Amino acid sequence: MGHREDLLVGAKRALYEKGYANITARDIVAASGTNLASIGYHYGSTKALLTAAMISSMEDWGEAVGRALSEPDGDGDAEPMLRFWRRVIRSVQADRRLWLASVEALTQSEHDPALRAQLAAGVHEGRKGMTALVTGRPEDELDEPTVRTVGAVQMALMSGVVTQWLTDPATAPSAEEVVAGIRALGGPVLGQ
């Protein structure tokens, strides 16, 4: 790897270990084994490097979530909705730093148009992926209204459950509780 790649890896490591708001250029240099001048040479600024690290981290997060939600597991006997929520919760437990980085990326995107654009594109792709998982249909066969309804609601539910797991894992709902809650909401929402 060259200095550019080393810097990106070091910035991502610092992001996971310290959080965006607490990273200094010296932290990145220490984690990457490079020097301060190489940040300016390869990225122009520490902020630009951190934006690249956030975007790369979000790509890693997307890949990790995609794997976690689509790989076969030992829950083959469970219904699909329960399997889905078990996988989400396992992913938060296994990849906590990536999930936290996604939250930090969201807050930082308010001040960084490039990061915001990347996250917005990721939200659309996430909705499509959620819709495909829920409906069992391939992404390329989904219509936009279904993606904007089913996918958006599924992402909203997932964001809420994930937030609870990141904030207080001891009292966060289990997969079984999430499914029971969805079912309980289904009656009143559907007028039943």
Side-chain angles (χ1 to χ4, degrees):
M1 255 190 310
H3 273 212
R4 182 174 179 82
E5 295 81 14
D6 291 340
L7 284 166
L8 185 61
V9 169
K12 285 169 58 175
R13 185 176 311 126
L15 176 66
Y16 299 150
E17 291 173 1
K18 298 188 116 193
Y20 185 94
N22 299 315
I23 297 173
T24 67
R26 293 187 188 286
D27 294 328
I28 296 169
V29 168
S32 66
T34 61
N35 58 63
L36 286 171
S38 61
I39 293 175
Y41 179 79
H42 291 290
Y43 288 93
S45 69
T46 302
K47 182 179 178 188
L49 171 55
L50 286 173
T51 297
M54 286 282 215
I55 290 170
S56 181
S57 292
M58 289 305 86
E59 290 168 357
D60 294 347
W61 175 79
E63 291 170 11
V65 171
R67 279 191 310 275
L69 298 180
S70 63
E71 289 181 351
D73 56 25
D75 291 338
D77 59 333
E79 64 175 297
M81 190 178 352
L82 183 57
R83 278 198 316 266
F84 171 83
W85 287 106
R86 284 178 178 167
R87 290 173 179 177
V88 168
I89 291 167
R90 278 196 300 262
S91 174
V92 175
Q93 292 169 323
D95 295 315
R96 181 177 175 80
R97 287 184 174 172
L98 279 175
W99 283 93
L100 286 168
S102 76
V103 173
E104 277 201 291
L106 176 63
T107 59
Q108 291 304 317
S109 73
E110 185 65 22
H111 311 287
D112 189 327
L115 181 58
R116 188 180 190 120
Q118 180 78 17
L119 291 178
V123 166
H124 182 70
E125 288 304 309
R127 285 181 186 149
K128 282 173 58 178
M130 290 292 119
T131 305
L133 283 168
V134 170
T135 64
R137 294 169 38 204
E139 287 186 29
D140 61 353
E141 293 178 14
L142 298 171
D143 60 274
E144 192 60 23
T146 303
V147 170
R148 290 196 48 80
T149 55
V150 173
V153 169
Q154 183 69 4
M155 280 189 70
L157 286 169
M158 190 170 89
S159 296
V161 169
V162 167
T163 298
Q164 291 178 65
W165 270 91
L166 290 174
T167 305
D168 187 8
T171 65
S174 68
E176 291 76 8
E177 290 168 325
V178 172
V179 171
I182 292 169
R183 288 200 175 109
L185 286 172
V189 169
L190 300 174
Q192 298 172 352

